[in-house]
């Protein structure tokens, strides 16, 4: 102990608030941790997409100006401007006058919360690679014909006996699932094996056109986002706003003249400023 | 932050859950001290006094827990999760293993190391008269005996004891704050655990290190090693892994001189001297006119002119 004290008093010391403390050296012995090293939070689907597209997160201010009370109010939380709590709500021009606008607003909010929760769970499932059932058919205001058909097929099967005893409507086309097809057990499979062996012997790579196209598309997109980043401030702004235009040029034209599309995009950005703004709002909501 | 399917419902609940999450810089390990199905007075007292020594970072369980850590660790792991404790002391007493005391630690909610000792001799803190050290002191640990450096089991047990007794992790210490010494001696197959209170005596007028006097404070335990269950080297290595963020980065180009002033070396991009505003410095202008005539002057102005033109275009 005397040795320890002697060594300690030889170490550099500091005095703070009239007390002299000795600075201990770095520990040489490594002790086990209590818990493993924390892992980085996995990306959500949106985050991954935003990164791919080079979409930056915009910080929203906490306080919003409320013109009625003439003061700043928080965007969310206690003391926010809650429309459902006000005594009056405007009925939109083409809305049903008997519709309860308050109930509608509350229902919409509930829907948004539920949707967000669903997305959260699906993100977790995606990361953990757990199998989850599909979203199914969500109710829409204006269902398309296809949507209706799907709903019908689903409801048809949604009985205890999986729709075995359901009567069909007179002109109803039943959507049946895909039937699995098996190779026959009785045919000579020499031909089949030959085909496989030939493919292996040739060494010709199998080209998945869809995949190749996707890879090419991705690369092009990344290049463009890199170019956007490296470009000067003005170009950058134009690029970010002309997001929609850029997207259009993608799906419409086959890849071949990327340089031209770039030039076109900057032009479009001036005309399509509004569209770009809309895109921004969309992003905020997600 | 870990991904949770069920979200905590209140902010307080959320905080409580987050407190248990793995962190880059970890908090001090808590120790849970518990009794088995049967305990003798000696074991109970030993646990109580270990609790006293470790106090702010220890929980003493009041109830009996009928488990045998060497046979089934599940209940131990459960309690560890519940109390967020990574260290444990378990006391029991049976005919086969009288006055049994287990020291152990967990990693990631699972057992890492544990060692079982029989208490051969126990002297309580209460039986030894004299001053005691304050609670929550960071102790100085002294290991003596060849076994701690040679025998592989003993080496690991030394590591375990350091982890168990080391107290809060600090950067600075005050000499006067070193009040408590735990000495562990391995000799003739036993481990002697002794606790001392430190008294620093500084002779009048001396500037050197103070003279240290130790006084037995208790508790004193003579331990005989029984069973051990030590982690494989692989697991031990993974448990010792440090996060990259915790390592101190070497900072380049920054130094301190003898007075403690911070000095830095800064690298700059080459400066463009052609754009130096020289309009107002008539003297320089005159010199250049005299020596090099118009040719050089034109060159210097051209970039500025070009810039002007480009602005107009926009």
């Amino acid at each position: 102990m005397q040795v320890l004290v002697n060594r300690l008093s030889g170490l550099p010391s500091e005095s703070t608030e009239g007390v002299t403390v000795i600075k201990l050296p770095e520990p040489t012995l490594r002790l086990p941790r209590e818990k493993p090293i924390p892992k980085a939070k996995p990306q959500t689907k949106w985050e991954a997409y935003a990164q791919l597209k080079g979409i930056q997160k915009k910080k929203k201010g906490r306080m919003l100006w409320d013109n009625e009370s003439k003061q700043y109010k928080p965007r969310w939380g206690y003391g926010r401007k809650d429309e459902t709590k006000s005594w009056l709500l405007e009925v939109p021009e083409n809305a049903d006058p008997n519709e309860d606008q308050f109930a509608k607003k509350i229902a919409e909010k509930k829907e948004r919360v539920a949707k967000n929760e669903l997305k959260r769970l699906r993100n977790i499932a995606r990361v953990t690679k757990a199998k989850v059932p599909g979203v199914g058919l969500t109710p829409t205001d204006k269902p398309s014909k296809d949507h209706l058909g799907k709903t019908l097929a689903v409801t048809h099967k949604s009985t205890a006996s999986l729709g075995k005893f359901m009567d069909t409507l007179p002109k109803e086309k039943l959507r049946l699932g895909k039937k699995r097809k098996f190779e026959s057990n009785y045919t000579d499979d020499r031909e089949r094996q030959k085909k496989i062996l030939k493919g292996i012997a040739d060494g010709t790579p199998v080209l998945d056109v869809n995949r190749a196209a996707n890879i090419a598309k991705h690369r092009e997109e990344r290049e463009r986002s890199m170019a956007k980043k490296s470009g000067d401030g003005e170009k950058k702004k134009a690029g970010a706003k002309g997001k929609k235009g850029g997207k259009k040029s993608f799906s419409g034209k086959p890849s071949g003249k990327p340089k031209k599309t770039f030039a076109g995009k900057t032009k479009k950005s001036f005309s399509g400023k509004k569209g770009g703004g809309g895109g921004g709002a969309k992003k905020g909501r997600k | 932050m870990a991904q949770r399917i069920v979200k905590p419902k209140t902010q307080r609940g959320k905080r409580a859950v987050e407190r248990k999450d793995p962190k880059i810089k970890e908090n001090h390990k808590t120790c849970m001290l518990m009794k088995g199905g049967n305990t003798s007075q000696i074991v109970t007292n030993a646990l109580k006094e270990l609790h006293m020594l470790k106090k702010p970072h220890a929980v003493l369980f009041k109830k009996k827990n009928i488990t045998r850590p060497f046979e089934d660790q599940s209940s131990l792991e459960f309690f560890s999760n519940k109390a967020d404790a990574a260290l444990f002391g378990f006391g029991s007493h049976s005919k086969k293993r009288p006055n049994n005391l287990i020291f152990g630690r967990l990693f990631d909610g699972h057992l890492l190391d544990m060692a079982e000792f029989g208490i051969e001799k126990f002297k309580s803190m209460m039986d030894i008269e004299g001053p005691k050290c304050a609670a929550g002191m960071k102790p100085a640990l002294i290991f003596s005996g060849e076994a701690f450096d040679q025998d592989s089991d003993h080496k690991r047990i030394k590591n375990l004891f350091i982890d168990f007794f080391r107290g809060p992790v600090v950067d600075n210490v005050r000499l006067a704050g070193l009040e408590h010494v735990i000495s562990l001696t391995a000799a003739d197959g036993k481990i002697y655990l002794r606790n001392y209170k430190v008294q620093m005596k500084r002779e009048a007028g001396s500037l050197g290190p103070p003279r240290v006097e130790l006084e037995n404070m208790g508790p004193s335990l003579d331990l005989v090693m029984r069973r051990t269950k030590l982690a494989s080297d692989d697991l031990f290595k993974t448990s010792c892994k440090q996060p990259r963020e915790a390592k101190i980065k070497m900072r380049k180009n920054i130094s301190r001189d003898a007075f403690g002033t911070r000095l830095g070396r800064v690298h700059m991009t080459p400066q463009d001297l052609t754009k130096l505003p020289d309009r107002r410095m008539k003297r320089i202008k005159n010199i250049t006119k005299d020596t090099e005539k118009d040719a050089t002057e034109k060159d210097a102005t051209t970039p500025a002119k070009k810039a002007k033109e480009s602005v107009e275009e926009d």
Side-chain angles (χ1 to χ4, degrees):
Chain A
M1 188 60 203
Q2 183 70 58
V3 179
L4 179 76
V5 171
N6 290 353
R7 281 278 284 284
L8 278 177
S9 54
L11 286 170
S13 59
E14 298 176 335
S15 66
T16 45
E17 296 162 18
V19 183
T20 328
V21 285
I22 295 159
K23 261 196 172 171
L24 289 176
E26 285 292 302
T28 49
L29 182 80
R30 194 166 274 187
L31 290 169
R33 283 170 64 87
E34 182 175 349
K35 276 153 200 164
I37 298 162
K39 281 179 193 137
K41 204 175 165 190
Q43 273 186 329
T44 62
K45 204 170 180 182
W46 163 253
E47 276 166 356
Y49 177 75
Q51 199 191 30
L52 186 75
K53 286 277 186 185
I55 299 166
Q56 301 280 318
K57 226 181 190 175
K58 252 189 242 161
K59 188 100 182 156
K60 273 192 202 167
R62 173 85 171 88
M63 303 303 269
L64 279 176
W65 178 254
D66 180 24
N67 220 1
E68 285 168 29
S69 58
K70 303 281 180 220
Q71 62 180 0
Y72 280 101
K73 285 192 165 178
R75 193 185 287 274
W76 72 88
Y78 181 72
R80 72 182 183 279
K81 192 189 170 192
D82 190 357
E83 281 191 319
T84 56
K85 292 268 159 60
S86 68
W87 61 277
L88 185 73
L89 264 184
E90 197 180 332
V91 178
E93 213 168 86
N94 47 2
D96 175 18
N98 292 328
E99 195 181 23
D100 185 357
Q101 294 297 325
F102 291 93
K104 195 183 165 194
K105 280 243 151 61
I106 290 167
E108 272 171 1
K109 170 82 182 170
K110 268 188 182 163
E111 194 75 24
R112 282 201 301 275
V113 169
K115 190 185 167 192
N116 189 265
E117 178 66 8
L118 183 76
K119 292 272 179 216
R120 189 181 72 85
L121 292 176
R122 286 185 80 79
N123 270 322
I124 292 172
R126 199 171 52 89
V127 170
T128 53
K129 281 173 187 157
K131 271 194 177 172
V132 278
V135 192
L137 290 159
T138 45
T140 47
D141 293 336
K142 287 173 189 168
S144 65
K145 197 181 167 190
D146 186 48
H147 190 270
L148 273 178
K150 273 180 189 164
T151 335
L152 193 64
V154 169
T155 42
H156 209 269
K157 273 204 164 185
S158 308
T159 62
S161 47
L162 298 177
K164 204 176 176 185
F165 306 105
M166 289 289 284
D167 295 327
T168 46
L169 294 169
K171 276 184 186 176
E172 190 187 344
K173 259 189 199 172
L174 265 189
R175 280 163 184 266
L176 296 168
K178 264 187 194 169
K179 286 236 165 154
R180 287 187 294 172
K181 277 179 190 165
F182 296 103
E183 300 273 353
S184 165
N185 277 336
Y186 300 105
T187 50
D188 185 18
D189 56 5
R190 209 180 279 166
E191 281 302 312
R192 216 185 326 148
Q193 284 178 356
K194 257 189 192 169
K195 211 175 163 187
I196 294 167
L197 278 174
K198 207 183 166 191
I200 294 167
D202 275 358
T204 44
V206 185
L207 183 74
D208 189 345
V209 182
N210 272 338
R211 216 177 146 219
N214 278 339
I215 289 169
K217 219 174 174 182
H218 181 149
R219 195 179 295 149
E220 203 181 313
E221 238 165 85
R222 274 193 66 180
E223 267 168 23
R224 196 179 305 172
S225 73
M226 291 295 277
K228 236 186 255 172
K229 267 180 198 168
S230 59
D232 54 324
E234 202 184 325
K235 258 185 191 170
K236 207 173 166 185
K237 222 176 179 181
K241 281 196 174 169
K243 196 170 50 189
K244 262 196 173 169
K247 215 175 182 179
K248 237 183 200 171
S249 73
F250 248 157
S251 50
K253 284 173 199 167
S255 59
K257 23 185 177 174
K259 270 179 191 172
K260 258 197 171 174
T261 49
F262 185 73
K265 201 187 63 191
T266 44
K267 241 185 185 175
K268 255 181 197 170
S269 69
F270 287 108
S271 58
K273 249 183 186 176
K274 265 188 183 173
K282 211 175 184 182
K283 183 184 69 187
R285 211 170 45 202
K286 273 198 177 179
Chain B
M1 206 192 84
Q3 295 249 311
R4 282 183 202 90
I5 291 175
V6 181
K7 263 186 174 177
K9 278 196 182 127
T10 56
Q11 276 302 313
R12 195 176 164 202
K14 191 181 169 191
R15 261 176 266 134
V17 169
E18 268 170 8
R19 224 168 284 144
K20 285 187 183 178
D21 270 344
K23 295 171 199 85
I24 287 171
K25 197 171 188 299
E26 295 198 301
N27 43 350
H28 184 65
K29 285 182 185 177
T30 339
C31 173
M32 50 180 183
L33 298 158
M34 55 168 131
K35 291 190 277 186
N38 276 313
T39 42
S40 59
Q41 194 57 45
I42 287 178
V43 167
T44 316
N45 285 346
L47 284 175
K48 259 186 201 167
E49 298 197 358
L50 278 176
H51 179 239
M52 277 175 179
L53 291 181
K54 284 195 61 67
K55 212 157 201 184
H57 305 293
V59 212
L60 181 65
F61 286 11
K62 292 272 156 46
K63 285 182 185 170
K64 289 179 190 177
N65 291 295
I66 308 171
T67 59
R68 295 186 188 88
F70 274 88
E71 279 154 42
D72 179 26
Q73 293 104 36
S74 57
S75 77
L76 209 67
E77 286 167 0
F78 169 78
F79 283 121
S80 151
N81 180 33
K82 199 138 206 220
D84 195 22
L87 299 167
F88 72 89
F90 183 89
S92 60
H93 180 72
S94 68
K95 204 174 188 182
K96 195 175 178 185
R97 295 192 183 85
N99 301 327
N100 211 31
L101 188 62
I102 303 173
F103 290 100
R105 60 180 160 191
L106 298 102
F107 168 68
D108 195 12
H110 296 290
L111 188 88
L112 190 70
D113 294 326
M114 70 180 161
E116 192 178 47
F117 299 97
I119 305 173
E120 284 223 323
K121 234 179 168 181
F122 175 72
K123 201 163 190 197
S124 164
M125 222 187 248
M126 309 304 162
D127 298 341
I128 300 167
E129 276 182 22
K132 313 281 183 243
C133 77
M137 281 283 155
K138 187 170 173 66
L141 298 174
I142 295 172
F143 287 85
S144 41
E146 283 179 354
F148 279 131
D149 297 323
Q150 285 165 356
D151 185 31
S152 64
D153 274 15
H154 272 77
K155 269 188 200 166
R156 184 64 69 76
I157 285 163
K158 180 184 172 184
N159 192 301
L160 172 63
F161 276 131
I162 292 174
D163 208 356
F164 199 90
F165 288 115
R166 68 168 167 167
V169 182
V170 289
D171 296 330
N172 305 317
V173 285
R174 200 159 64 104
L175 259 191
L178 285 176
E179 270 188 27
H180 181 203
V181 177
I182 299 174
S183 138
L184 288 132
T185 315
D188 38 83
K190 282 185 200 169
I191 293 174
Y192 300 94
L193 198 157
R194 297 283 179 273
N195 287 278
Y196 299 101
K197 161 132 179 94
V198 178
Q199 277 174 336
M200 307 253 182
K201 296 206 167 152
R202 200 183 277 274
E203 280 154 35
S206 78
L207 285 168
R211 196 161 51 83
V212 173
E213 271 180 23
L214 299 181
E215 201 175 330
N216 198 359
M217 176 181 88
S220 306
L221 290 97
D222 292 3
L223 304 167
V224 186
M225 201 146 88
R226 284 179 182 152
R227 290 176 290 177
T228 51
K229 192 166 191 178
L230 304 176
S232 65
D233 287 342
D234 214 30
L235 178 63
F236 189 74
K237 210 176 164 189
T238 47
S239 70
C240 286
K241 236 181 195 173
Q242 294 296 317
R244 204 177 287 161
E245 294 90 330
K247 278 177 198 158
I248 300 156
K249 270 185 204 163
M250 258 280 289
R251 292 183 75 188
K252 279 165 90 184
N253 302 338
I254 292 176
S255 58
R256 275 177 197 279
D257 67 1
F259 304 106
T261 321
R262 210 158 74 142
L263 302 171
R265 191 199 299 161
V266 184
H267 293 273
M268 299 277 291
T269 49
Q271 215 173 342
D272 190 5
L273 295 171
T274 53
K275 283 181 185 168
L276 262 180
D278 59 346
R279 204 178 290 162
R280 281 173 211 166
M281 295 160 93
K282 277 180 187 167
R283 179 76 196 125
I284 293 172
K285 237 182 190 177
N286 290 340
I287 290 166
T288 46
K289 260 185 191 171
D290 293 344
T291 50
E292 290 171 36
K293 290 274 167 182
D294 300 2
T296 45
E297 232 180 71
K298 262 184 190 173
D299 276 358
T301 48
T302 38
K305 260 188 184 175
K306 269 183 188 172
K308 241 187 186 177
E309 279 166 12
S310 66
V311 167
E312 278 166 11
E313 268 175 19
D314 285 345

